[in-house]
């Protein structure tokens, strides 16, 4: 399907944080009565993995009743599926946790479920993906044994580390460590900094990354330049940065040790200039010395140009 600039422009407007948080009123689209255009709109949203976020926002707009009935029905269906998906993931996490407790494996749960539960004002506004687990490298074999006892099987077609109990069941992604390149003591610190997440998000208490490490994790993913074209990724970054939970001194130390300062610098510039994020004072551009100012300007200009051309 060819990209429609009008639909894409409206889609990105709807996906920005102020729209997702209902901090600003979204104007009626020019295609409001046109069912076919709405279908194209949702196809574009699906291509960005953002149908759930769009449906959530549309449920809260003042002109919702003007949306054609078939599109309103589609919105309701997406919301119902999202609620069902959340319940399924809750039960699956509970099941995995029991398996790991029996085998004495410590794990940190991360990914879309945790991001939506902790950093979004409504967890249903964050699209849900796989269950992601971080395991200390020396416990990887035990973790695989634990999953095997629960009838999880490696999905070889999806690469190393993806397990499932069968067709229709959620995938469980097993990560061997947290940082791409880091000594063992740094991995252990990640587990020491971990927080505990409990009800109503999950049925049993689980360990999750500290906000500082959630930010680091997102920056690691930002090493793939295409990631910055994904509104959901930018929203994740926005809500984590805006949570006031990140220890920026600690974050800078970890970023520097893993050669991620320039990626983080670019990410924060993207949030400020393109996503309406108000950064905490200590990491605003004038107070941040993560990248040479000239290099930062050239990097951002070059990256922004390439992203617009693609």
């Amino acid at each position: 399907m060819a990209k429609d600039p009008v639909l894409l422009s409206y889609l990105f407007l709807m996906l920005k944080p102020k729209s997702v948080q209902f901090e600003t009123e979204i104007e009626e689209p020019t295609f409001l009565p046109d069912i076919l255009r709405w279908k194209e709109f949702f196809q574009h949203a699906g291509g960005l993995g953002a149908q759930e976020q769009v449906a959530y926002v549309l449920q809260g707009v003042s002109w919702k009743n003007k949306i054609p009935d078939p599109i309103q029905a589609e919105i309701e269906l997406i919301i119902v599926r999202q609620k069902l998906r959340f319940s399924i993931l809750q039960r699956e996490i509970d099941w995995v946790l029991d398996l790991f407790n029996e085998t004495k494996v410590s794990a940190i749960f991360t990914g879309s479920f945790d991001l939506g539960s902790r950093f979004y004002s409504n967890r249903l506004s964050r699209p849900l993906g796989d269950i992601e687990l971080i395991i200390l490298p020396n416990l990887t074999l035990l973790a695989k044994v634990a999953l095997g006892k629960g009838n999880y099987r490696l999905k070889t077609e999806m690469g190393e580390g993806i397990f499932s109990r069968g067709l229709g069941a959620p995938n469980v992604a097993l990560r061997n460590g947290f940082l791409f390149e880091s000594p063992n003591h740094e991995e252990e610190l990640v587990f020491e900094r971990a927080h505990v997440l409990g009800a109503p998000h999950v049925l049993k208490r689980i360990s999750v990354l500290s906000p500082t490490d959630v930010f680091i994790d997102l920056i690691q993913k930002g090493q793939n330049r295409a990631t910055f074209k994904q509104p959901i990724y930018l929203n994740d970054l926005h809500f984590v940065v805006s949570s006031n939970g990140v220890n920026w001194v600690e974050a800078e130390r970890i970023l520097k040790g893993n050669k991620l300062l320039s990626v983080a610098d670019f990410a924060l510039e993207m949030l400020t200039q393109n996503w309406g994020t108000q950064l905490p004072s200590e990491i605003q551009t004038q107070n941040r010395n993560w990248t040479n100012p000239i290099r930062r300007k050239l990097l951002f200009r070059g990256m922004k140009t390439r992203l617009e051309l693609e």
Side-chain angles (χ1 to χ4, degrees), residues 21-39:
Q21 298 283 74
F22 300 111
E23 294 175 4
T24 184
E25 176 65 21
I26 302 174
E27 294 183 1
E28 298 176 11
T30 55
F31 54 88
L32 182 57
D34 191 330
I35 294 176
L36 289 179
R37 294 282 278 169
W38 273 112
K39 289 185 178 294

Side-chain angles (χ1 to χ4, degrees), residues 42 50-56 59 71-85 124:
F42 272 94
Q51 282 194 350
E52 295 86 354
Q53 203 157 79
V54 165
Y56 171 76
Q59 272 207 329
I71 303 304
Q72 287 197 45
E74 179 66 22
I75 291 169
E76 292 291 340
L77 180 60
I78 292 171
I79 295 294
V80 168
R81 285 175 177 166
Q82 177 77 337
K83 289 179 179 178
L84 178 61
R85 175 73 174 169
L124 295 177

Side-chain angles (χ1 to χ4, degrees), residues 4 6 10 14 26 43 56 61 71 87 112 114 131 136 147 154 168 184 193 205 208 224 266 283-284 286-287 292 309:
D4 185 315
V6 173
Y10 192 73
M14 186 171 289
I26 302 174
Q43 285 181 334
Y56 171 76
V61 295
I71 303 304
S87 297
S112 59
D114 173 46
I131 296 171
L136 284 171
L147 291 175
L154 181 65
N184 288 336
R193 290 193 295 265
R205 292 160 67 85
V208 293
N224 179 352
F266 174 69
I283 57 163
Q284 288 178 8
Q286 65 272 23
N287 298 329
N292 179 283
L309 289 174

Side-chain angles (χ1 to χ4, degrees), residues 263-279:
V263 180
D265 206 35
F266 174 69
L268 296 177
E269 287 295 295
M270 281 286 288
L271 290 179
T272 303
Q273 297 194 31
N274 291 349
W275 220 238
T277 305
Q278 179 65 43
L279 299 179

Side-chain angles (χ1 to χ4, degrees), residues 105-174:
V105 174
S106 298
I108 293 177
F109 289 75
T110 185
S112 59
F113 184 95
D114 173 46
L115 285 163
S117 296
R118 281 200 290 163
F119 298 102
Y120 284 69
S121 60
N122 187 311
R123 64 194 185 191
L124 295 177
S125 67
R126 178 40 169 101
L128 295 168
D130 295 341
I131 296 171
E132 295 183 41
L133 299 170
I134 298 171
I135 308 293
L136 284 171
N138 63 332
L139 295 177
T140 302
L141 181 58
L142 273 179
K144 291 180 179 180
V145 169
L147 291 175
K149 288 181 178 179
N151 295 318
Y152 285 89
R153 296 293 178 264
L154 181 65
K155 299 185 73 170
T156 54
E157 72 278 10
M158 297 187 69
E160 182 65 27
I162 308 295
F163 297 81
S164 176
R165 288 191 291 141
L167 187 65
N171 291 331
V172 175
L174 204 61

